[in-house]
Amino acid sequence: MAGSSFGTVFRITTWGESHGKALGVVIDGCPAGLPLEEADIQRYLDRRRPGTSSITTPRKEEDAVEILSGVFEGLTTGTPISLMVKNTSQISRDYSEIAAVYRPGHADYTFDKKYGFRDYRGGGRSSGRETVGRVAAGAIACKILERLGIFVCAYTRSIGPIQADMSRFDRAFILSSPTAMPDPEASMAAMAYLEETRHNTDSAGGCMECIVEGLPAGIGDPVFEKLDANLAKAVMSIGAVKAVEIGDGSLVSQRKGSENNDGFRAEDGRVTKTSNHAGGILGGISDGDILVVRAHVKPTPSIFLTQQTITRDMENTQINIKGRHDPIIVPRAVVVMECMTALTVLDAMMINMPAKLESLEQFYGKK
Amino acid sequence: MAGSSFGTVFRITTWGESHGKALGVVIDGCPAGLPLEEADIQRYLDRRRPGTSSITTPRKEEDAVEILSGVFEGLTTGTPISLMVKNTSQISRDYSEIAAVYRPGHADYTFDKKYGFRDYRGGGRSSGRETVGRVAAGAIACKILERLGIFVCAYTRSIGPIQADMSRFDRAFILSSPTAMPDPEASMAAMAYLEETRHNTDSAGGCMECIVEGLPAGIGDPVFEKLDANLAKAVMSIGAVKAVEIGDGSLVSQRKGSENNDGFRAEDGRVTKTSNHAGGILGGISDGDILVVRAHVKPTPSIFLTQQTITRDMENTQINIKGRHDPIIVPRAVVVMECMTALTVLDAMMINMPAKLESLEQFYGKK
Amino acid sequence: MAGSSFGTVFRITTWGESHGKALGVVIDGCPAGLPLEEADIQRYLDRRRPGTSSITTPRKEEDAVEILSGVFEGLTTGTPISLMVKNTSQISRDYSEIAAVYRPGHADYTFDKKYGFRDYRGGGRSSGRETVGRVAAGAIACKILERLGIFVCAYTRSIGPIQADMSRFDRAFILSSPTAMPDPEASMAAMAYLEETRHNTDSAGGCMECIVEGLPAGIGDPVFEKLDANLAKAVMSIGAVKAVEIGDGSLVSQRKGSENNDGFRAEDGRVTKTSNHAGGILGGISDGDILVVRAHVKPTPSIFLTQQTITRDMENTQINIKGRHDPIIVPRAVVVMECMTALTVLDAMMINMPAKLESLEQFYGKK
Amino acid sequence: MAGSSFGTVFRITTWGESHGKALGVVIDGCPAGLPLEEADIQRYLDRRRPGTSSITTPRKEEDAVEILSGVFEGLTTGTPISLMVKNTSQISRDYSEIAAVYRPGHADYTFDKKYGFRDYRGGGRSSGRETVGRVAAGAIACKILERLGIFVCAYTRSIGPIQADMSRFDRAFILSSPTAMPDPEASMAAMAYLEETRHNTDSAGGCMECIVEGLPAGIGDPVFEKLDANLAKAVMSIGAVKAVEIGDGSLVSQRKGSENNDGFRAEDGRVTKTSNHAGGILGGISDGDILVVRAHVKPTPSIFLTQQTITRDMENTQINIKGRHDPIIVPRAVVVMECMTALTVLDAMMINMPAKLESLEQFYGKK
């Protein structure tokens, strides 16, 4: 089925495979009048690009974005924005083994079961390169949110056993850090851990977190279109994510109610909370506090150790994956999480506009 | 926005508030020809009913379901099935405090911010009673899945610090246990823990798990309609859930790739895996193994301890919640998780039918 | 598939069969704060009720609507509004012939081919009674539109060869007329025509028209969600409609451009047009002029003349339909067309709110 | 809102403006395993290309399609197919008048009201060039349908007052005819009529028809997703269409039931009808007979006669449109109608697969 679209009023549709001619996204429903140029998007794409340190693949992905439609004289027109990134650096190599054998932890086997065959070059549509479209679209969502005073920020919370100490949170460091951690000390320890992991031809998992500041209360719809439900879908749809948490997340299952409830407090006409265990969402609707989402990411499945597996012809065999792979997925996935969060929040805000009859009447003029 | 529908081809729409006249659900897209009677649905509704032990509210909810449409001579007709449960036992009481003061951990404040006011009687639409519709619909999804040899089973994994020991897994015990735990020993310990919690006028969190057995490989769609993404949305949409995990979930972030990958093995023409850390999903598509989903549920926010909060008029105040409330949400939410999982899996299976051109050609006859 | 829902942000889901226990609708996404009581809806349902004249079936349909959810203290809450009408007057009769033989012009054969069998009592889900839910929901849409100064009005344009003369347009007459024509003279002629048709045990077709006054310019979305495209779907989905026209409709195919274009004119800061051949829509978007939609409705397929047909077992046979049937569908379908138009327009208006970035910024406050 | 997507399981998303860098479409949900190459699509695009006769604009549109994703080793993979056509021949000219003045019959005014401004070059998104994406996607739908023995064929039914005589129906002539009429004699007369129209610097309307042969009974969903309702939306969404008819269409409103009903007949185990006034659809579901859809298309609004209009600044003015324009829209829109019909029918067929429980059980294997 059509599974490459996300969002209702602000909707994106991504396309493209790892080794096809190009990848891209169509953003439909973007409000008219937003100043937009390629540099706005390129800035985000550069954050998911590898080749910047020892822990990302040295493969050079230029990922230069091109705006093909939807922008006129520097402003979005309200009609679909088509963005394309050409695949320029995909090396022609021998895929005969990957074509015949299912790599553990990858989607090779499940794609074959679903579709009968697959584009096996570099993982095809199940490759991490699929996220190029998400990030290009998310850059636009982030730009709109910023104009509304809403800031989305994702970072690495932990790598293997190394946790970021949030008391050392340094926002500026996130973008310059090879680990995307906000804590310089933890980042250094994580780099050492990853070096060792790579030396052992193994890979490491990690945890990433995204916060949203400035979000007004009242966003999200009860029951099935809860803001946290849509965030869970958005974030779980990122390849390799195996758990999603809101606020204190899995910790709540061992808590007492008296420990977990956040009291409300009024100060100078503003509402605050005595704590934010809820992560800014109550009953699926934003409460005006900081939104907190977390995702646990599995280790890169491509490792160089010998692994038990089967061939397409159902023969048992062993595989030794070759090539160069990141020893960890998280640092490059952080910007993807930021973008998926921004897309979810913006769509919910646009949908929310007619929630009160009063708003509809003010907009169109009560008669 | 319209947020009370779930699913694409097999779609449900729930309605009703805690203290309204009735609650219900419309199931649209149910295949024609399924034998269906009220008893099939009542069996599931009875599992979410309180009043069966010391840890659930003694409030008597009869929750007798009525089939209003979509069934003819005992078979579903393919047209919408409307199910209704009348609210019969909602006691008329004084809601003046709840109307004026925001309860911590509840959706009172966020509903007011979104809609301008709210039905405050018993939580209105944000009450746990909203799940009546989900469970009634899920009962039908479960019945269809069983005919396809697919079995969905949810249970309590932990209550506060008490973990079920899965080596003592007793499936039959789940339905008879007041805790919905599959481990009789842990269940007994959990009951003692809850008794103490209640004695302290506090509440407890817990964790629930759902497994799906018999699911074929190939279900779920890449990118945004991944099976795990839709399960995450489905489960996170249940009130009080703050984290969703697939397979080994949050543990993967501390793993090495060599520990986390599941090898494939072929035996007698069948594919198995050397382990199931992935929880039955690779690249968003089922791999034929057992599906494993887990949800962490916060403690009941209604506690009898004095809490800091504000009034509708933005005055600081303190609240002492009265009435009778379950000291824990999990045991009654287990059947809701089972139903949301079944709805997600069935819809994905129906959508998957034309994934291969070959299937379409076989169905309609290639010319 | 789930085919009983209509709309995106303001979405309705109808259910129920002709001879089931009840029929109803769930309205999801209705803005909060609308005063609503059963009488608001009953007024519309009464317009589709038969038994008021010689040209409608004398069968007594009380169709008393009940609000089951979504309204609190007289106001809509923003959560789903469930409306139900019990089937009280369905006479138990012998359906053995209808069960075994396919009636020409009805959906008996196609339902059997799709679902394998059908609820044959009174047409089941394909009965005109299905429109009860549409009308109940449309009454709410109309009420909201009226508060925005937008008025939707449908009427009969022609019955058989008898055309209403629009120069005699009498709005008040529509509701009191048995034909729903706005022209008393034509109505009288049409009554005579229908009397003769009934005398010949035959039935008659007709044409209905709907206008929308007060609609602002800018409603509807380019390409596939054009306002006229969605109106065409909405109106064609009404049983027995075989053609839909916007503005001058089918006449345009014989026109010259110089005859068909509507010039723009500015007067006192307001835009008017020199004519309205376009029916108020240009490029799929409303132009601020009166919206005009027309539908051609086939004659009632249930006639008492002997007809050639087949049995379920594929035997050729002849059928003589018994019972009492309206000799024409149009007068009772007029309110259905009004309601479908209102639902389409309101949903498009709600969706349109964030079309300009400026609107989003004003709503949420630019920072 | 996101209005550039069409379809549920087989879904397309188009993008691009008349004078942007490129136009294109993403086809999502295409079954895996279809042989597909650019020539399959180019063949359809060539049919909507102008410059082939005196009645189409001499502007040279090469419209060479490029497949950017979703095809591997000549077969569709089940993942999104991205198609792009570069805009190569858009002449840089002076758009200052068009930018400042609203052309009658065009979407200039309504786009400005909706979005605050517009891309005025060549009509921007509201240009007929928008249909490039529809046709490219429709070519794929047609190819799949043909493999199922289903053939979609559209043609011109009338131009101005000149009607095709269907007794002279010559299918092969449609593709070679400059009018896309199936009747060579009428086509010649129509050419003369158009020559005269052009000579008078005016334009002409016309009617186009589309038939579908080989469609099985049972396709389409009751109530709102009726096959005819979705066809009406699909066809009305084509620019300049002002009326849509199914089967005998608007004629039915003047018919008697005895004239309009189609009898069923069984012959050698096959069901036929004694006539096909219904156009192959009963109750919104296909009946196995030939599907007949018709669309009335307004005259090209760009005419060279002086017209009354207003400027963006609300000043009354007159406009003399310059440039070269087709004197009629129909011949080039015929392939668009064929494609929209194919897309609608294919999506409905894919959605229909699990309508019977029996089908689901056969597909997945009843246990």
Side-chain angles (χ1 to χ4, degrees):
Chain A
M1 166 176 101
S4 292
S5 294
F6 185 81
T8 297
V9 172
F10 188 96
R11 182 165 50 204
I12 71 166
T13 302
T14 71
W15 55 270
E17 302 90 35
S18 175
H19 283 58
K21 283 191 180 177
L23 298 109
V25 63
V26 181
I27 298 106
D28 198 9
C30 182
L34 177 76
L36 188 70
E37 54 183 23
E38 279 146 0
D40 293 320
I41 299 155
Q42 195 62 50
R43 203 155 48 92
Y44 282 77
L45 285 175
D46 289 350
R47 286 172 60 195
R48 68 164 293 292
R49 198 169 54 183
T52 50
S53 82
S54 62
I55 61 160
T56 56
T57 56
R59 172 168 100 152
K60 191 158 161 283
E61 294 187 12
E62 296 223 349
D63 286 355
V65 72
E66 204 178 339
I67 300 177
L68 297 175
S69 72
V71 176
F72 179 60
E73 297 184 342
L75 297 177
T76 58
T77 60
T79 61
I81 302 167
S82 178
L83 304 177
M84 180 174 67
V85 167
K86 286 191 187 131
N87 274 327
T88 53
S89 58
Q90 277 55 42
I91 303 145
S92 180
R93 41 166 288 206
D94 179 11
Y95 285 106
S96 54
E97 189 183 49
I98 241 179
V101 177
Y102 296 129
R103 292 169 299 164
H106 279 280
D108 302 345
Y109 173 70
T110 54
F111 266 65
D112 263 20
K113 293 303 279 185
K114 182 173 196 75
Y115 296 118
F117 73 110
R118 71 188 191 285
D119 177 352
Y120 44 74
R121 299 165 305 163
R125 182 71 175 151
S126 72
S127 159
R129 272 192 75 66
E130 167 264 314
T131 60
V132 161
R134 304 180 183 226
V135 171
I140 299 175
C142 285
K143 186 164 188 185
I144 295 174
L145 289 174
E146 281 174 22
R147 288 174 74 103
L148 305 172
I150 298 165
F151 300 91
V152 185
C153 173
Y155 43 82
T156 300
R157 193 66 204 265
S158 68
I159 286 179
I162 317 293
Q163 307 278 333
D165 179 342
M166 297 302 280
S167 69
R168 287 194 295 255
F169 189 91
D170 176 350
R171 184 169 302 204
F173 185 71
I174 299 167
L175 293 188
S176 63
S177 157
T179 59
M181 272 182 160
D183 165 7
E185 283 187 37
S187 184
M188 201 172 300
M191 287 298 283
Y193 174 77
L194 290 170
E195 207 47 63
E196 188 206 326
T197 302
R198 175 199 286 283
H199 183 78
N200 298 333
T201 63
D202 212 333
S203 64
C207 175
M208 53 194 184
E209 190 167 272
C210 185
I211 57 173
V212 183
E213 293 166 303
L215 186 66
I219 306 305
D221 282 278
V223 186
F224 299 116
E225 300 298 331
K226 284 175 170 149
L227 185 56
D228 43 0
N230 278 319
L231 285 169
K233 177 172 179 167
V235 171
M236 192 68 93
S237 79
I238 303 170
V241 171
K242 300 300 287 183
V244 180
E245 301 181 285
I246 303 292
D248 289 356
S250 57
L251 293 179
V252 303
S253 57
Q254 303 208 25
R255 288 252 181 79
K256 295 284 172 74
S258 56
E259 298 162 332
N260 196 60
N261 283 349
D262 305 310
F264 290 103
R265 202 183 289 281
E267 273 173 293
D268 311 326
R270 289 186 60 253
V271 174
T272 57
K273 285 167 24 203
T274 55
S275 52
N276 189 19
H277 301 304
I281 302 183
L282 284 169
I285 303 173
S286 64
D287 67 7
D289 209 331
I290 295 173
L291 207 74
V292 182
V293 190
R294 219 159 21 256
H296 295 266
V297 184
K298 73 179 185 183
T300 314
S302 289
I303 52 173
F304 306 115
L305 301 166
T306 303
Q307 297 179 85
Q308 159 67 27
T309 191
I310 56 171
T311 66
R312 287 204 64 179
D313 304 326
M314 300 281 285
E315 301 288 328
N316 283 299
T317 186
Q318 293 197 316
I319 189 170
N320 282 291
I321 293 175
K322 294 170 197 73
R324 308 205 65 156
H325 299 278
D326 292 355
I328 184 160
I329 291 166
V330 166
R332 293 178 61 195
V334 155
V335 67
V336 183
M337 186 178 188
E338 193 170 303
C339 286
M340 291 308 300
T341 301
L343 290 163
T344 306
V345 164
L346 177 59
D347 192 38
M349 289 180 76
M350 290 170 73
I351 284 171
N352 176 62
M353 288 176 75
K356 294 178 196 167
L357 182 63
E358 192 191 327
S359 306
L360 198 63
E361 288 175 347
Q362 275 171 11
F363 193 90
Y364 286 111
K366 187 176 179 172
K367 300 293 149 56
Chain B
M1 161 172 107
S4 292
S5 294
F6 186 82
T8 297
V9 172
F10 188 97
R11 182 164 52 204
I12 71 166
T13 302
T14 71
W15 55 270
E17 302 91 36
S18 175
H19 283 58
K21 283 192 180 175
L23 298 109
V25 64
V26 181
I27 299 106
D28 197 9
C30 182
L34 178 75
L36 188 71
E37 54 183 22
E38 280 146 0
D40 293 319
I41 298 155
Q42 196 62 51
R43 204 156 46 92
Y44 282 77
L45 286 175
D46 290 350
R47 286 172 59 193
R48 70 164 293 291
R49 198 170 55 183
T52 49
S53 81
S54 61
I55 61 161
T56 56
T57 56
R59 171 169 100 153
K60 192 159 159 282
E61 294 186 13
E62 294 224 348
D63 287 355
V65 72
E66 206 178 336
I67 299 177
L68 297 175
S69 71
V71 177
F72 180 59
E73 297 184 343
L75 298 177
T76 59
T77 59
T79 61
I81 303 167
S82 178
L83 304 178
M84 180 174 67
V85 167
K86 285 191 187 132
N87 274 327
T88 54
S89 58
Q90 278 55 40
I91 304 144
S92 180
R93 42 165 287 206
D94 180 11
Y95 286 106
S96 54
E97 189 183 48
I98 242 180
V101 177
Y102 297 129
R103 293 169 298 165
H106 280 280
D108 302 345
Y109 173 70
T110 55
F111 266 65
D112 263 20
K113 295 302 280 185
K114 182 174 196 76
Y115 297 118
F117 74 109
R118 70 188 191 284
D119 177 352
Y120 45 74
R121 300 164 305 162
R125 182 72 176 149
S126 72
S127 160
R129 271 193 76 65
E130 167 263 314
T131 60
V132 161
R134 304 179 184 228
V135 170
I140 299 174
C142 285
K143 186 165 186 184
I144 295 174
L145 289 174
E146 281 174 22
R147 288 174 73 104
L148 305 172
I150 299 164
F151 299 91
V152 185
C153 174
Y155 42 82
T156 300
R157 192 67 203 266
S158 68
I159 286 179
I162 316 293
Q163 307 278 332
D165 179 342
M166 298 302 279
S167 69
R168 287 195 295 254
F169 190 91
D170 176 350
R171 184 169 301 204
F173 184 71
I174 299 166
L175 294 188
S176 63
S177 157
T179 58
M181 273 180 160
D183 164 7
E185 284 187 36
S187 183
M188 201 174 298
M191 288 298 283
Y193 174 78
L194 290 170
E195 207 46 64
E196 188 205 327
T197 302
R198 174 198 286 283
H199 182 78
N200 297 334
T201 63
D202 212 334
S203 64
C207 174
M208 53 194 184
E209 189 167 272
C210 185
I211 57 172
V212 183
E213 294 167 303
L215 185 66
I219 306 305
D221 282 278
V223 186
F224 299 116
E225 299 298 331
K226 284 175 170 149
L227 185 56
D228 41 1
N230 278 321
L231 285 168
K233 176 171 180 168
V235 172
M236 192 68 93
S237 80
I238 304 170
V241 171
K242 300 299 286 183
V244 180
E245 302 181 284
I246 303 292
D248 289 356
S250 57
L251 293 179
V252 303
S253 57
Q254 303 208 26
R255 287 253 182 78
K256 295 284 172 75
S258 56
E259 297 162 331
N260 196 60
N261 284 350
D262 304 311
F264 290 104
R265 202 183 290 279
E267 273 174 292
D268 311 327
R270 289 186 61 253
V271 174
T272 58
K273 287 171 16 208
T274 55
S275 52
N276 187 20
H277 301 304
I281 303 183
L282 284 169
I285 303 172
S286 65
D287 68 7
D289 209 332
I290 295 173
L291 207 74
V292 183
V293 190
R294 221 159 20 256
H296 295 265
V297 183
K298 72 179 185 184
T300 314
S302 289
I303 53 174
F304 306 115
L305 301 166
T306 303
Q307 297 180 85
Q308 159 68 26
T309 191
I310 56 172
T311 67
R312 286 205 64 178
D313 305 325
M314 301 279 287
E315 301 288 328
N316 284 300
T317 186
Q318 293 196 317
I319 190 169
N320 283 289
I321 292 174
K322 294 170 198 72
R324 308 207 64 158
H325 299 277
D326 293 354
I328 183 160
I329 291 166
V330 166
R332 293 177 62 195
V334 155
V335 68
V336 183
M337 185 177 188
E338 192 170 304
C339 285
M340 290 308 299
T341 301
L343 290 164
T344 306
V345 164
L346 178 59
D347 192 38
M349 290 181 74
M350 290 170 74
I351 284 171
N352 175 63
M353 289 176 75
K356 294 178 197 167
L357 181 64
E358 191 190 329
S359 305
L360 197 63
E361 288 175 346
Q362 275 171 12
F363 193 90
Y364 286 111
K366 188 175 179 172
K367 299 294 149 52
Chain C
M1 169 179 94
S4 291
S5 293
F6 186 81
T8 298
V9 171
F10 189 96
R11 182 164 51 203
I12 71 166
T13 302
T14 72
W15 55 271
E17 302 91 35
S18 175
H19 282 58
K21 285 191 178 176
L23 298 108
V25 63
V26 181
I27 298 106
D28 197 10
C30 182
L34 177 75
L36 188 72
E37 54 184 22
E38 279 144 2
D40 294 319
I41 298 155
Q42 195 62 52
R43 205 155 46 91
Y44 281 77
L45 285 175
D46 290 349
R47 286 172 59 195
R48 68 164 295 291
R49 198 171 54 183
T52 50
S53 83
S54 63
I55 61 159
T56 56
T57 55
R59 172 169 99 153
K60 191 157 160 284
E61 295 187 10
E62 297 222 348
D63 286 355
V65 72
E66 204 179 337
I67 300 176
L68 298 175
S69 70
V71 177
F72 178 60
E73 296 182 344
L75 298 176
T76 58
T77 58
T79 61
I81 302 167
S82 178
L83 304 178
M84 180 174 67
V85 167
K86 285 191 186 132
N87 274 327
T88 54
S89 58
Q90 277 55 42
I91 303 146
S92 180
R93 42 165 288 205
D94 180 11
Y95 286 106
S96 54
E97 190 183 47
I98 242 180
V101 177
Y102 296 128
R103 293 169 298 164
H106 279 281
D108 303 345
Y109 174 69
T110 54
F111 265 65
D112 263 21
K113 293 303 280 185
K114 183 173 194 76
Y115 297 118
F117 74 109
R118 71 189 191 283
D119 177 351
Y120 45 74
R121 300 164 306 162
R125 182 72 177 149
S126 71
S127 160
R129 272 191 76 65
E130 166 264 315
T131 60
V132 161
R134 303 180 185 226
V135 172
I140 299 175
C142 285
K143 187 165 187 184
I144 295 174
L145 289 175
E146 281 174 23
R147 288 175 74 104
L148 306 173
I150 298 164
F151 300 91
V152 185
C153 174
Y155 42 84
T156 301
R157 193 67 204 264
S158 69
I159 286 180
I162 318 295
Q163 306 279 333
D165 179 342
M166 298 302 281
S167 69
R168 288 196 293 256
F169 190 92
D170 176 350
R171 184 169 302 205
F173 185 71
I174 299 166
L175 294 189
S176 63
S177 158
T179 60
M181 273 181 160
D183 165 6
E185 284 187 38
S187 184
M188 202 173 300
M191 287 299 283
Y193 174 78
L194 290 170
E195 208 45 65
E196 187 205 328
T197 301
R198 175 199 286 283
H199 183 77
N200 298 333
T201 62
D202 213 334
S203 63
C207 175
M208 53 193 184
E209 190 167 270
C210 186
I211 57 172
V212 183
E213 294 166 302
L215 186 65
I219 307 304
D221 282 278
V223 186
F224 299 116
E225 300 297 331
K226 284 175 169 149
L227 184 57
D228 42 1
N230 278 321
L231 285 168
K233 176 172 180 168
V235 172
M236 191 67 93
S237 79
I238 303 171
V241 171
K242 299 300 285 184
V244 179
E245 301 181 285
I246 303 293
D248 288 356
S250 57
L251 294 179
V252 304
S253 57
Q254 303 207 27
R255 288 252 181 79
K256 295 283 172 74
S258 56
E259 299 162 330
N260 196 61
N261 283 350
D262 305 311
F264 291 102
R265 204 182 290 281
E267 273 174 290
D268 311 327
R270 287 188 61 253
V271 175
T272 58
K273 283 167 25 203
T274 55
S275 53
N276 188 20
H277 302 303
I281 302 183
L282 284 169
I285 303 173
S286 65
D287 67 8
D289 209 331
I290 295 173
L291 207 74
V292 183
V293 190
R294 220 159 21 257
H296 295 267
V297 183
K298 73 178 185 184
T300 314
S302 289
I303 54 173
F304 306 115
L305 301 166
T306 302
Q307 297 180 85
Q308 159 68 27
T309 192
I310 55 172
T311 65
R312 286 204 63 179
D313 304 326
M314 300 280 287
E315 301 287 329
N316 283 301
T317 186
Q318 294 196 317
I319 189 168
N320 283 290
I321 292 175
K322 294 171 197 71
R324 308 206 64 157
H325 299 278
D326 293 355
I328 183 161
I329 291 165
V330 166
R332 293 177 62 196
V334 155
V335 67
V336 183
M337 186 178 188
E338 192 170 305
C339 285
M340 290 309 298
T341 301
L343 290 164
T344 307
V345 165
L346 178 58
D347 192 38
M349 290 181 75
M350 290 170 73
I351 284 171
N352 175 63
M353 288 174 76
K356 294 178 198 166
L357 182 63
E358 192 189 327
S359 306
L360 197 63
E361 288 175 346
Q362 273 171 13
F363 193 90
Y364 286 112
K366 187 175 179 173
K367 299 294 149 55
Chain D
M1 163 174 103
S4 292
S5 294
F6 186 80
T8 297
V9 171
F10 188 95
R11 181 164 51 202
I12 71 166
T13 302
T14 71
W15 55 270
E17 302 91 35
S18 175
H19 283 57
K21 284 192 180 176
L23 297 108
V25 63
V26 181
I27 299 107
D28 197 10
C30 181
L34 178 75
L36 188 72
E37 55 183 21
E38 280 145 1
D40 293 320
I41 299 156
Q42 196 62 50
R43 205 155 46 91
Y44 281 77
L45 286 176
D46 289 349
R47 286 172 59 194
R48 70 163 293 291
R49 197 171 54 183
T52 49
S53 83
S54 62
I55 60 159
T56 55
T57 56
R59 172 168 100 152
K60 191 157 161 283
E61 294 187 12
E62 296 222 348
D63 286 355
V65 72
E66 204 178 338
I67 300 176
L68 296 175
S69 71
V71 177
F72 179 60
E73 296 184 343
L75 298 177
T76 58
T77 59
T79 61
I81 302 168
S82 178
L83 303 177
M84 180 174 66
V85 167
K86 285 191 187 132
N87 274 327
T88 54
S89 58
Q90 278 55 41
I91 303 145
S92 180
R93 42 164 288 206
D94 180 11
Y95 286 106
S96 54
E97 189 183 47
I98 242 180
V101 176
Y102 296 129
R103 293 168 300 164
H106 279 281
D108 302 345
Y109 173 69
T110 53
F111 266 65
D112 263 21
K113 294 304 278 184
K114 184 173 194 76
Y115 297 118
F117 74 109
R118 70 187 192 285
D119 177 352
Y120 45 73
R121 300 165 305 163
R125 183 70 177 151
S126 71
S127 160
R129 272 192 76 65
E130 166 264 314
T131 60
V132 161
R134 302 180 186 228
V135 171
I140 299 175
C142 285
K143 186 164 188 184
I144 295 174
L145 289 174
E146 281 174 23
R147 288 175 74 104
L148 305 172
I150 299 165
F151 299 91
V152 185
C153 173
Y155 43 83
T156 301
R157 193 64 204 267
S158 68
I159 286 179
I162 317 294
Q163 306 278 333
D165 179 343
M166 298 302 280
S167 69
R168 287 195 294 255
F169 190 91
D170 176 349
R171 184 169 303 205
F173 185 71
I174 299 166
L175 293 188
S176 63
S177 157
T179 60
M181 273 181 160
D183 165 7
E185 284 187 37
S187 183
M188 203 173 300
M191 288 298 283
Y193 174 78
L194 289 171
E195 207 47 62
E196 188 205 327
T197 302
R198 175 199 286 283
H199 182 77
N200 298 333
T201 61
D202 212 335
S203 64
C207 175
M208 53 193 184
E209 189 167 271
C210 185
I211 57 171
V212 182
E213 294 167 303
L215 186 65
I219 307 304
D221 282 277
V223 188
F224 299 115
E225 300 297 331
K226 283 175 170 148
L227 185 57
D228 41 2
N230 278 321
L231 285 168
K233 175 171 181 168
V235 172
M236 191 68 93
S237 79
I238 303 171
V241 171
K242 299 301 285 184
V244 180
E245 302 181 285
I246 303 292
D248 288 356
S250 56
L251 294 179
V252 304
S253 57
Q254 303 207 27
R255 287 253 181 78
K256 296 284 173 72
S258 57
E259 298 162 331
N260 196 59
N261 282 349
D262 305 310
F264 290 104
R265 204 182 288 282
E267 273 173 291
D268 310 328
R270 288 186 61 253
V271 174
T272 58
K273 285 168 21 204
T274 56
S275 52
N276 188 21
H277 301 303
I281 303 184
L282 284 169
I285 303 173
S286 64
D287 67 7
D289 209 332
I290 294 173
L291 207 73
V292 183
V293 190
R294 219 159 21 257
H296 295 266
V297 183
K298 72 177 184 184
T300 314
S302 289
I303 55 173
F304 306 114
L305 300 167
T306 303
Q307 298 179 86
Q308 159 68 27
T309 192
I310 55 171
T311 65
R312 286 204 63 179
D313 303 326
M314 301 280 286
E315 301 289 330
N316 283 300
T317 187
Q318 293 196 316
I319 190 169
N320 283 291
I321 292 175
K322 295 171 197 71
R324 308 206 64 158
H325 299 278
D326 293 355
I328 183 160
I329 291 165
V330 167
R332 293 177 62 194
V334 155
V335 66
V336 183
M337 185 179 189
E338 192 171 304
C339 286
M340 291 308 299
T341 302
L343 289 164
T344 306
V345 165
L346 177 58
D347 192 38
M349 290 181 75
M350 289 170 73
I351 283 170
N352 176 62
M353 289 175 75
K356 294 178 196 166
L357 182 63
E358 193 190 327
S359 306
L360 197 63
E361 288 175 345
Q362 273 170 12
F363 193 89
Y364 286 111
K366 187 174 178 173
K367 298 296 149 52

